[in-house]
Amino acid sequence: MVEIVTHLALLLLFPPLLLGIIVKTKALFAGRVGAPLLQPYSDLWKLLKKGAVYSRTTTWIFRAGPIIALASVLTAGVVLPLASTSSPFGFAGDVILFAYLLALGRFVTMAAALDTGSPFEGMGASREAAFSALVEPALFLVLGIICLPAASVSFSNAWAALPWQHWGVAHPCLLAASAALFIVLLTENSRIPVDDPNTHLELTMIHEVMVLDHSGPDFAFILYGASIKLFLFGSLLIHLLLPISAGISWQNAALFLGGQVGMAILVGIVESRRTMNLYSDFLLLFVVMLNLYIVSANRLTACVKASALQGAALALLPIIMWWNGSPTPLVHVILMAVGTLAFKAIVIPIMLARAIRNVDARREVEPFVSLHLSLLLAALLVGVSFWLAGALELSAGAPSRLLVPASFSTLLIGFLVLVSRKKAITQVIGYLMIENGVFVFSQSVAAKLPFVVELGVLLDLLVAIFVMNIVIHQINREFDHINVDKLDLLKG
Amino acid sequence: MNVGREDILLWALLLCPTVGGGLCLLLRSPRQVLWMLYVSVLAFGGIAGYLGWRVFSKGTIFAADGWFTLDPLSAYHLTVMTIVFVLSTIFAGSYFRDSVQDGSLSTKRMRRFGALWLGSLAAMILVLISNHLGMMWVGIESTTLMTTFLICFHRSRESLEATWKYLLICSVGIAISFMGTLLAGASSGHIPGLKDPMLWSALRPIAASLDPLTMKASFIFLIVGFGTKAGLAPMHTWLPDAHSQAPAPVSAIFSGIMLNTALYCVMRYIPIVEGATGNAGWALGIVRLFGIVSMLIAAAFIIFQHDVKRLLAYHSVEHLGIIAVGVGLGGLGTFAAMFHTLNHSVCKSLGFFCAGRLGQMYETHDMHRMRGTLHVSPIWGIGLLLSLMALIGVAPFAVFMSELQIVKAALDVNAIVILVLFLASTGIVFVGALGHATSMAWGKAPEGVPQSKTKMIDIALVVAPLALLLLLGLWMPEWLRGILSQAADVISTTR
């Protein structure tokens, strides 16, 4: 019973929020405050209270279109597992039903559009048909990949047979499926870059042009149906990417809702790319993504590799800042980039990799905070950093709006790694992340920082890591391990 | 760049220990290394003494295009550092005497000790003479790196654990303070025509026009970051471990001056932050808060302490807290904090000298087994007893006088809560540590502790600091009062 109520509540209440999040993200990237997060709910309520206008040339098909479309996505949502590996209404073969229900919804929308007899809407319907013909095979292929391990066309069997551990062995396949699914999601939901739901130039519209003639409650059904569709594709993606286990638990719910919100933010970011300072912002986002990766990885070599990659990204940062018109002299920029690349992307990672080999430590075993939980915490910290950067009004003078939030989140996540892990080497990586965060921040005042000081800072970092390395080596020789939680001789 | 006399002197000050440290690596025997230490530190002391005299009589000096400066505040800390380093270096000779004589100390280890010892001296000099806030930060970070391997000089599991904690906690703290340093530089972003906004002497006059919000954020990063290195609670957790595991001369310079250099960095920023936030006492309030918290936490740990060096370490947390409270009170409090810096450094160095030598004789630092110290070694026993008594504020030692002045400063500004907490924690420390001190001095010595010979140099090492503390407690010369108020004026703000 609880399961059914949760499932339906999630399906019916949550989706419009996603549209709100996307709009909010885009507004933030464009430097506006943006509409409130709950605006879509108010819009739906407003539309439902209005009456509808019907053209005399239309038939019952036009009226039935929105209702059947909404009914079909809702039914599809009922059989799709949401915050658990199984849906309370699932049955053998529900994967097929899911795919065909989506197709049915699309078909009735197109039929309703053609029913108006307007050439304009007919053009939209034809475009929609062309795109769905391209997307549908991709969707079926992804569904096929999902169903392959279980050899069953039922979602509950499929998800149960595809635990998160599969990422360890089948990651190219799963990675490709996820990427394909994300593109399908953008296409099916008429998002940028395939379509632009907010455009006012009819010639460039695909989906919007089909629904121009709908008004009042009919249009509310269409909007609501669109948000549910986004929600359904998001759920598929989340089940692929995040470790959602069987049964209803707060962890599952948190992962699921967090995943949906993250997906909406991602869509918002993709749509904002034109307003973004392309290279520097993508680079900074990459740095933040690497933070999240380091938090969630438990193989020490993977952490070191990610940190080396982060160092390389940081080395590019001064160059891109210079390209974007920062007043720092070019010689200074190049020396800084070369120094950062040499130290943070090559020398330090090599030292750490050698340390890992020498002390024979491969994995972070049983960290103080589980990897899943620390991933959630890290995502939370990213949010906190955006809030903090906004509250401090530091971003105003910075060369990129993302600079300060990215710096704070790297700093805070570094702290998280530092306090939640037991291996000395992981702690060093945490320290390195804190330093990286400070480095990112230093780019906002780089023009004012004399080169000697920056060089001093880099050298200090190198020596610090070197010294830590030696101490780790000695600890390993003396104790035969490098688990810092067992360094507890000194008390009081 | 035209090279003036000041340039030569300040560079010489910095190069003296650097070159000495480098030469240590080439020497052939532990004895030669010790002599190298004496020569370098005495040469440094000579230059520092001359520079101090010059600053106090003729005013602030700048060098190296304004990158180096020596104003009364830094000159005063430099003077304290000279006293601590000269005493500790002489003591290092006494501390290593036995192991040098019986050959148990290899030349390689002694070379490394000498190089790192002088290297940390050079790093601390860099902190004190930097006018550029970024360079000052580089100096503080270098002190951490230089002193790391001094802690695990006697290699054991405990000392490695202490080293790791020290290295990681302090490195992270210092990384955070770098964020604060950058924010301080960013706070002048809107002021046009500022050539280098990270020179202290450039920021100080325009403090009132800096962005207050950025400056506040900066100061929080700074006090947490530098406060970690200064051993302010609750970031002090590395301190007792590192102090108890390091060899006694190293503990002496840790407590005597390294903590002070970190606190000195915080002091540097106080007038700038206060100026930016409209002299409302915002920064002072934060410094005061950290000071009082340090005092209370230290007091709680001192009562239940078993290890004499940890006891002294917690005293450092307490006294750095006292200095912070003094600075945070402003006015007379700043003056008293300056005075207390000198008193604490001298007294704490002496404490670690005595605890270190007695620890070698008893082969333990457990206070329950270190009984009858007066009987086993009269000179070090008396030194430990009197230094502990001076540390807890027994009159007429100078520590008592400076604490009294802080109490007076608190009364002046009607800071009753601070006053009550201050008196409560010093009271707890007094009772707690007095018990430890007396039972160590007069208890019955365990069997098998050798009676040690006393040398003239040992007597001098104990008598000189005690005499200084006694003298300053009874009578403060007019010129010293002048020096202290000059130093305090650099960071005091008009409320």
PDB file of all heavy atoms in Angstrom, chain B residues 216-239:
ATOM      1  N   LYS B 216      35.470  40.725   5.734  1.00  0.00           N
ATOM      2  CA  LYS B 216      34.988  39.892   6.844  1.00  0.00           C
ATOM      3  C   LYS B 216      35.173  38.420   6.507  1.00  0.00           C
ATOM      4  O   LYS B 216      35.665  37.644   7.323  1.00  0.00           O
ATOM      5  CB  LYS B 216      33.503  40.173   7.109  1.00  0.00           C
ATOM      6  CG  LYS B 216      33.261  41.384   7.977  1.00  0.00           C
ATOM      7  CD  LYS B 216      31.784  41.473   8.328  1.00  0.00           C
ATOM      8  CE  LYS B 216      31.520  42.694   9.175  1.00  0.00           C
ATOM      9  NZ  LYS B 216      30.108  42.860   9.502  1.00  0.00           N
ATOM     10  N   ALA B 217      34.763  38.054   5.282  1.00  0.00           N
ATOM     11  CA  ALA B 217      34.937  36.658   4.858  1.00  0.00           C
ATOM     12  C   ALA B 217      36.402  36.285   4.929  1.00  0.00           C
ATOM     13  O   ALA B 217      36.778  35.219   5.418  1.00  0.00           O
ATOM     14  CB  ALA B 217      34.417  36.478   3.435  1.00  0.00           C
ATOM     15  N   SER B 218      37.250  37.211   4.456  1.00  0.00           N
ATOM     16  CA  SER B 218      38.684  36.960   4.461  1.00  0.00           C
ATOM     17  C   SER B 218      39.178  36.698   5.875  1.00  0.00           C
ATOM     18  O   SER B 218      39.934  35.761   6.135  1.00  0.00           O
ATOM     19  CB  SER B 218      39.394  38.163   3.859  1.00  0.00           C
ATOM     20  OG  SER B 218      40.678  38.287   4.377  1.00  0.00           O
ATOM     21  N   PHE B 219      38.728  37.510   6.829  1.00  0.00           N
ATOM     22  CA  PHE B 219      39.260  37.379   8.191  1.00  0.00           C
ATOM     23  C   PHE B 219      38.845  36.053   8.816  1.00  0.00           C
ATOM     24  O   PHE B 219      39.598  35.465   9.593  1.00  0.00           O
ATOM     25  CB  PHE B 219      38.788  38.546   9.061  1.00  0.00           C
ATOM     26  CG  PHE B 219      39.532  38.636  10.355  1.00  0.00           C
ATOM     27  CD1 PHE B 219      40.884  38.933  10.368  1.00  0.00           C
ATOM     28  CD2 PHE B 219      38.902  38.410  11.570  1.00  0.00           C
ATOM     29  CE1 PHE B 219      41.593  39.008  11.552  1.00  0.00           C
ATOM     30  CE2 PHE B 219      39.599  38.480  12.761  1.00  0.00           C
ATOM     31  CZ  PHE B 219      40.950  38.779  12.745  1.00  0.00           C
ATOM     32  N   ILE B 220      37.650  35.571   8.467  1.00  0.00           N
ATOM     33  CA  ILE B 220      37.234  34.277   9.030  1.00  0.00           C
ATOM     34  C   ILE B 220      38.152  33.172   8.526  1.00  0.00           C
ATOM     35  O   ILE B 220      38.625  32.328   9.293  1.00  0.00           O
ATOM     36  CB  ILE B 220      35.762  34.004   8.700  1.00  0.00           C
ATOM     37  CG1 ILE B 220      34.928  35.006   9.477  1.00  0.00           C
ATOM     38  CG2 ILE B 220      35.374  32.581   9.052  1.00  0.00           C
ATOM     39  CD1 ILE B 220      33.474  34.899   9.327  1.00  0.00           C
ATOM     40  N   PHE B 221      38.436  33.202   7.211  1.00  0.00           N
ATOM     41  CA  PHE B 221      39.388  32.225   6.672  1.00  0.00           C
ATOM     42  C   PHE B 221      40.746  32.380   7.359  1.00  0.00           C
ATOM     43  O   PHE B 221      41.409  31.406   7.692  1.00  0.00           O
ATOM     44  CB  PHE B 221      39.565  32.424   5.165  1.00  0.00           C
ATOM     45  CG  PHE B 221      38.496  31.785   4.334  1.00  0.00           C
ATOM     46  CD1 PHE B 221      37.482  32.529   3.776  1.00  0.00           C
ATOM     47  CD2 PHE B 221      38.513  30.431   4.114  1.00  0.00           C
ATOM     48  CE1 PHE B 221      36.494  31.939   3.003  1.00  0.00           C
ATOM     49  CE2 PHE B 221      37.543  29.827   3.344  1.00  0.00           C
ATOM     50  CZ  PHE B 221      36.524  30.584   2.788  1.00  0.00           C
ATOM     51  N   LEU B 222      41.165  33.625   7.551  1.00  0.00           N
ATOM     52  CA  LEU B 222      42.501  33.870   8.091  1.00  0.00           C
ATOM     53  C   LEU B 222      42.625  33.374   9.524  1.00  0.00           C
ATOM     54  O   LEU B 222      43.613  32.741   9.892  1.00  0.00           O
ATOM     55  CB  LEU B 222      42.813  35.366   8.045  1.00  0.00           C
ATOM     56  CG  LEU B 222      43.101  35.915   6.657  1.00  0.00           C
ATOM     57  CD1 LEU B 222      43.111  37.421   6.686  1.00  0.00           C
ATOM     58  CD2 LEU B 222      44.427  35.386   6.168  1.00  0.00           C
ATOM     59  N   ILE B 223      41.595  33.671  10.347  1.00  0.00           N
ATOM     60  CA  ILE B 223      41.779  33.293  11.753  1.00  0.00           C
ATOM     61  C   ILE B 223      41.672  31.791  11.913  1.00  0.00           C
ATOM     62  O   ILE B 223      42.376  31.202  12.736  1.00  0.00           O
ATOM     63  CB  ILE B 223      40.822  34.058  12.686  1.00  0.00           C
ATOM     64  CG1 ILE B 223      41.241  33.813  14.128  1.00  0.00           C
ATOM     65  CG2 ILE B 223      39.386  33.639  12.507  1.00  0.00           C
ATOM     66  CD1 ILE B 223      41.049  34.934  15.043  1.00  0.00           C
ATOM     67  N   VAL B 224      40.829  31.144  11.087  1.00  0.00           N
ATOM     68  CA  VAL B 224      40.783  29.691  11.171  1.00  0.00           C
ATOM     69  C   VAL B 224      42.100  29.098  10.663  1.00  0.00           C
ATOM     70  O   VAL B 224      42.678  28.199  11.275  1.00  0.00           O
ATOM     71  CB  VAL B 224      39.585  29.134  10.380  1.00  0.00           C
ATOM     72  CG1 VAL B 224      39.659  27.626  10.290  1.00  0.00           C
ATOM     73  CG2 VAL B 224      38.295  29.552  11.030  1.00  0.00           C
ATOM     74  N   GLY B 225      42.598  29.646   9.565  1.00  0.00           N
ATOM     75  CA  GLY B 225      43.816  29.114   8.956  1.00  0.00           C
ATOM     76  C   GLY B 225      45.044  29.360   9.803  1.00  0.00           C
ATOM     77  O   GLY B 225      45.704  28.417  10.245  1.00  0.00           O
ATOM     78  N   PHE B 226      45.363  30.624  10.044  1.00  0.00           N
ATOM     79  CA  PHE B 226      46.542  30.922  10.862  1.00  0.00           C
ATOM     80  C   PHE B 226      46.330  30.458  12.302  1.00  0.00           C
ATOM     81  O   PHE B 226      47.282  30.081  12.987  1.00  0.00           O
ATOM     82  CB  PHE B 226      46.856  32.418  10.822  1.00  0.00           C
ATOM     83  CG  PHE B 226      47.448  32.873   9.518  1.00  0.00           C
ATOM     84  CD1 PHE B 226      46.945  33.971   8.851  1.00  0.00           C
ATOM     85  CD2 PHE B 226      48.516  32.191   8.958  1.00  0.00           C
ATOM     86  CE1 PHE B 226      47.482  34.386   7.638  1.00  0.00           C
ATOM     87  CE2 PHE B 226      49.062  32.603   7.755  1.00  0.00           C
ATOM     88  CZ  PHE B 226      48.537  33.698   7.096  1.00  0.00           C
ATOM     89  N   GLY B 227      45.062  30.507  12.759  1.00  0.00           N
ATOM     90  CA  GLY B 227      44.772  30.051  14.120  1.00  0.00           C
ATOM     91  C   GLY B 227      45.124  28.583  14.302  1.00  0.00           C
ATOM     92  O   GLY B 227      45.545  28.165  15.375  1.00  0.00           O
ATOM     93  N   THR B 228      44.963  27.788  13.238  1.00  0.00           N
ATOM     94  CA  THR B 228      45.356  26.380  13.310  1.00  0.00           C
ATOM     95  C   THR B 228      46.842  26.280  13.640  1.00  0.00           C
ATOM     96  O   THR B 228      47.263  25.533  14.521  1.00  0.00           O
ATOM     97  CB  THR B 228      45.092  25.689  11.963  1.00  0.00           C
ATOM     98  OG1 THR B 228      43.758  25.955  11.582  1.00  0.00           O
ATOM     99  CG2 THR B 228      45.323  24.209  12.056  1.00  0.00           C
ATOM    100  N   LYS B 229      47.627  27.065  12.918  1.00  0.00           N
ATOM    101  CA  LYS B 229      49.076  27.020  13.132  1.00  0.00           C
ATOM    102  C   LYS B 229      49.441  27.624  14.485  1.00  0.00           C
ATOM    103  O   LYS B 229      50.424  27.228  15.109  1.00  0.00           O
ATOM    104  CB  LYS B 229      49.769  27.774  11.994  1.00  0.00           C
ATOM    105  CG  LYS B 229      51.262  27.635  11.943  1.00  0.00           C
ATOM    106  CD  LYS B 229      51.656  26.281  11.397  1.00  0.00           C
ATOM    107  CE  LYS B 229      53.108  25.982  11.639  1.00  0.00           C
ATOM    108  NZ  LYS B 229      54.007  26.667  10.772  1.00  0.00           N
ATOM    109  N   ALA B 230      48.651  28.596  14.949  1.00  0.00           N
ATOM    110  CA  ALA B 230      48.965  29.241  16.226  1.00  0.00           C
ATOM    111  C   ALA B 230      48.471  28.412  17.396  1.00  0.00           C
ATOM    112  O   ALA B 230      48.713  28.769  18.548  1.00  0.00           O
ATOM    113  CB  ALA B 230      48.343  30.635  16.271  1.00  0.00           C
ATOM    114  N   GLY B 231      47.754  27.319  17.115  1.00  0.00           N
ATOM    115  CA  GLY B 231      47.291  26.461  18.203  1.00  0.00           C
ATOM    116  C   GLY B 231      46.102  27.009  18.947  1.00  0.00           C
ATOM    117  O   GLY B 231      45.896  26.678  20.117  1.00  0.00           O
ATOM    118  N   LEU B 232      45.295  27.864  18.294  1.00  0.00           N
ATOM    119  CA  LEU B 232      44.082  28.331  18.958  1.00  0.00           C
ATOM    120  C   LEU B 232      43.042  27.215  18.921  1.00  0.00           C
ATOM    121  O   LEU B 232      42.870  26.566  17.896  1.00  0.00           O
ATOM    122  CB  LEU B 232      43.533  29.572  18.252  1.00  0.00           C
ATOM    123  CG  LEU B 232      44.373  30.844  18.362  1.00  0.00           C
ATOM    124  CD1 LEU B 232      43.685  31.988  17.636  1.00  0.00           C
ATOM    125  CD2 LEU B 232      44.595  31.213  19.819  1.00  0.00           C
ATOM    126  N   ALA B 233      42.354  26.994  20.054  1.00  0.00           N
ATOM    127  CA  ALA B 233      41.304  25.980  20.082  1.00  0.00           C
ATOM    128  C   ALA B 233      40.131  26.500  19.266  1.00  0.00           C
ATOM    129  O   ALA B 233      39.905  27.702  19.229  1.00  0.00           O
ATOM    130  CB  ALA B 233      40.894  25.710  21.516  1.00  0.00           C
ATOM    131  N   PRO B 234      39.325  25.649  18.642  1.00  0.00           N
ATOM    132  CA  PRO B 234      39.414  24.181  18.628  1.00  0.00           C
ATOM    133  C   PRO B 234      40.279  23.618  17.493  1.00  0.00           C
ATOM    134  O   PRO B 234      40.110  22.466  17.154  1.00  0.00           O
ATOM    135  CB  PRO B 234      37.956  23.791  18.425  1.00  0.00           C
ATOM    136  CG  PRO B 234      37.393  24.887  17.580  1.00  0.00           C
ATOM    137  CD  PRO B 234      38.146  26.129  17.921  1.00  0.00           C
ATOM    138  N   MET B 235      41.180  24.410  16.924  1.00  0.00           N
ATOM    139  CA  MET B 235      42.038  23.866  15.860  1.00  0.00           C
ATOM    140  C   MET B 235      43.389  23.433  16.426  1.00  0.00           C
ATOM    141  O   MET B 235      44.349  23.290  15.681  1.00  0.00           O
ATOM    142  CB  MET B 235      42.268  24.919  14.770  1.00  0.00           C
ATOM    143  CG  MET B 235      41.034  25.372  14.024  1.00  0.00           C
ATOM    144  SD  MET B 235      40.204  26.732  14.858  1.00  0.00           S
ATOM    145  CE  MET B 235      41.305  28.084  14.602  1.00  0.00           C
ATOM    146  N   HIS B 236      43.482  23.251  17.741  1.00  0.00           N
ATOM    147  CA  HIS B 236      44.777  23.038  18.383  1.00  0.00           C
ATOM    148  C   HIS B 236      45.171  21.570  18.421  1.00  0.00           C
ATOM    149  O   HIS B 236      46.214  21.252  18.962  1.00  0.00           O
ATOM    150  CB  HIS B 236      44.697  23.526  19.814  1.00  0.00           C
ATOM    151  CG  HIS B 236      43.795  22.662  20.650  1.00  0.00           C
ATOM    152  ND1 HIS B 236      42.438  22.677  20.489  1.00  0.00           N
ATOM    153  CD2 HIS B 236      44.068  21.723  21.578  1.00  0.00           C
ATOM    154  CE1 HIS B 236      41.905  21.793  21.313  1.00  0.00           C
ATOM    155  NE2 HIS B 236      42.853  21.192  21.982  1.00  0.00           N
ATOM    156  N   THR B 237      44.338  20.665  17.851  1.00  0.00           N
ATOM    157  CA  THR B 237      44.489  19.241  18.156  1.00  0.00           C
ATOM    158  C   THR B 237      45.861  18.661  17.805  1.00  0.00           C
ATOM    159  O   THR B 237      46.273  17.682  18.390  1.00  0.00           O
ATOM    160  CB  THR B 237      43.422  18.434  17.410  1.00  0.00           C
ATOM    161  OG1 THR B 237      43.369  18.928  16.080  1.00  0.00           O
ATOM    162  CG2 THR B 237      42.064  18.612  18.044  1.00  0.00           C
ATOM    163  N   TRP B 238      46.558  19.271  16.849  1.00  0.00           N
ATOM    164  CA  TRP B 238      47.883  18.743  16.505  1.00  0.00           C
ATOM    165  C   TRP B 238      48.912  19.085  17.564  1.00  0.00           C
ATOM    166  O   TRP B 238      49.925  18.408  17.706  1.00  0.00           O
ATOM    167  CB  TRP B 238      48.346  19.337  15.169  1.00  0.00           C
ATOM    168  CG  TRP B 238      48.497  20.831  15.201  1.00  0.00           C
ATOM    169  CD1 TRP B 238      47.522  21.735  14.932  1.00  0.00           C
ATOM    170  CD2 TRP B 238      49.656  21.578  15.564  1.00  0.00           C
ATOM    171  NE1 TRP B 238      48.008  23.005  15.086  1.00  0.00           N
ATOM    172  CE2 TRP B 238      49.313  22.940  15.476  1.00  0.00           C
ATOM    173  CE3 TRP B 238      50.957  21.238  15.948  1.00  0.00           C
ATOM    174  CZ2 TRP B 238      50.215  23.963  15.766  1.00  0.00           C
ATOM    175  CZ3 TRP B 238      51.854  22.254  16.222  1.00  0.00           C
ATOM    176  CH2 TRP B 238      51.479  23.610  16.140  1.00  0.00           C
ATOM    177  N   LEU B 239      48.644  20.155  18.322  1.00  0.00           N
ATOM    178  CA  LEU B 239      49.695  20.798  19.110  1.00  0.00           C
ATOM    179  C   LEU B 239      50.248  19.920  20.240  1.00  0.00           C
ATOM    180  O   LEU B 239      51.467  19.729  20.318  1.00  0.00           O
ATOM    181  CB  LEU B 239      49.150  22.127  19.621  1.00  0.00           C
ATOM    182  CG  LEU B 239      50.148  23.108  20.189  1.00  0.00           C
ATOM    183  CD1 LEU B 239      49.757  24.511  19.839  1.00  0.00           C
ATOM    184  CD2 LEU B 239      50.275  22.953  21.680  1.00  0.00           C
TER     185      LEU B 239
END
